[in-house]
Amino acid sequence: MKSIVFATNNAHKLAEARAILEGKVEVRSLNDIDCHDDIPETAPTLEGNALMKARWVSERYGVDCFADDTGLEVDALGGEPGVRSARYAPGAGHDSAANMKLLLENLAGKDDRTARFRTVVALITDGKELTVDGKCEGRITESPSGASGFGYDPIFQPAGENRTFAEMSDAEKNAISHRGEAMRRLAELL
C-alpha cells in the first residue's frame, strides 16, 4: 500500500483523513517524519495555502505528501472568514471558541445565515502537483450545539440536516463533509 504524509499538525484533520482513506493509502503524520515545525500558511487563497504546505514538506523531507486548507464562507459576511477561518478572531490563532463567538456576533441580527465549507487538497506525488476540492453547503446556527468535531462544527448545519456537524458521528460527518468529498477525490488520484 502506498504511503503518503499529510502535512498538517491538526490531530482532528489527521484522524478524518485516515478514516476516509483507510485501506487505500497509509496516511503518515508529520510526527512520523519527525517534522515539528510550524508550516507557513500565508497565501491569500485556500489553494495557495494547500500548495504552500505540501511543497514545504515535500521539499524539506523528500516525501510524497498532501496538504489541505479549509475555509468557512458566510454569505452575509461577504465570504468571511474564508481563508482566515482558523485565525478569524484577534489574538492567538486557532482559538475555535473565540472564532465561533466572533462569527456569531458578526451575524447577530442577520437573516441570511447561508454558508459553506470549502476544502482544497494539494497532492505532490511522483514529482507532480495536483489539487482537488470539496464543498458542503449549509447554514450557521444561532448558537453552538454538539460536542463532536472541531473548529466551527458546533455552529454549522449542513443542508438537509437538522443537526450540526458537532452533533454527528465522525462517519456521518465524513460522508457529507467538504473534507470528506475532497479526500474521496484524493483517493481517486492515488
Side-chain angles (χ1 to χ4, degrees), residues 115-118 134-138 156 158-159 165 176-178 181:
R116 74 210 42 79
F117 270 117
R118 282 195 329 108
K135 180 170 66 171
C136 183
E137 296 287 342
F156 184 79
F165 271 160
I176 63 171
S177 79
H178 48 292
E181 182 179 340

Side-chain angles (χ1 to χ4, degrees), residues 6-8 13 39-58 65-70 83 119-124 129-133:
F6 186 6
T8 185
K13 286 184 179 184
I39 300 170
E41 297 179 62
T42 56
T45 64
L46 299 175
E47 183 177 40
N49 276 338
L51 283 164
M52 180 182 289
K53 292 185 285 188
R55 288 172 183 153
W56 197 93
V57 170
S58 179
C65 69
F66 68 94
D68 83 319
D69 199 25
T70 296
V83 73
T119 293
V120 175
V121 176
L123 170 66
I124 298 178
E129 292 183 0
L130 304 162
T131 60
V132 293
D133 62 355

Side-chain angles (χ1 to χ4, degrees), residues 38-182:
D38 190 20
I39 300 170
E41 297 179 62
T42 56
T45 64
L46 299 175
E47 183 177 40
N49 276 338
L51 283 164
M52 180 182 289
K53 292 185 285 188
R55 288 172 183 153
W56 197 93
V57 170
S58 179
E59 289 167 5
R60 283 164 181 75
Y61 292 87
V63 294
D64 286 349
C65 69
F66 68 94
D68 83 319
D69 199 25
T70 296
L72 175 64
E73 300 170 345
V74 180
D75 291 344
L77 301 178
E80 285 186 4
V83 73
R84 302 260 324 133
S85 292
R87 296 170 183 83
Y88 187 50
H94 303 285
D95 184 337
S96 295
N99 289 337
M100 281 191 291
K101 182 177 183 291
L102 179 60
L103 183 68
L104 291 173
E105 287 171 3
N106 289 343
L107 277 176
K110 296 193 187 313
D111 293 328
D112 182 6
R113 300 183 79 84
T114 56
R116 74 210 42 79
F117 270 117
R118 282 195 329 108
T119 293
V120 175
V121 176
L123 170 66
I124 298 178
T125 184
D126 302 325
K128 293 182 274 192
E129 292 183 0
L130 304 162
T131 60
V132 293
D133 62 355
K135 180 170 66 171
C136 183
E137 296 287 342
R139 63 180 296 278
I140 303 300
T141 59
E142 297 286 335
S143 60
S145 184
S148 296
F150 62 100
Y152 295 92
D153 287 356
I155 61 171
F156 184 79
Q157 186 179 68
E161 278 289 333
N162 59 6
R163 300 173 295 165
T164 67
F165 271 160
E167 294 174 297
M168 297 178 177
S169 71
D170 290 344
E172 289 172 318
K173 177 186 171 186
N174 288 342
I176 63 171
S177 79
H178 48 292
R179 189 169 294 104
E181 182 179 340

Side-chain angles (χ1 to χ4, degrees), residues 4-11 14 18 27-37 39 56-57 61 63:
I4 193 160
V5 174
F6 186 6
T8 185
N9 288 309
N10 185 315
L14 182 62
R18 283 179 169 159
V27 179
R28 297 171 61 209
S29 70
L30 290 174
N31 194 47
D32 291 336
I33 62 169
D34 204 26
C35 174
H36 306 286
D37 303 320
I39 300 170
W56 197 93
V57 170
Y61 292 87
V63 294

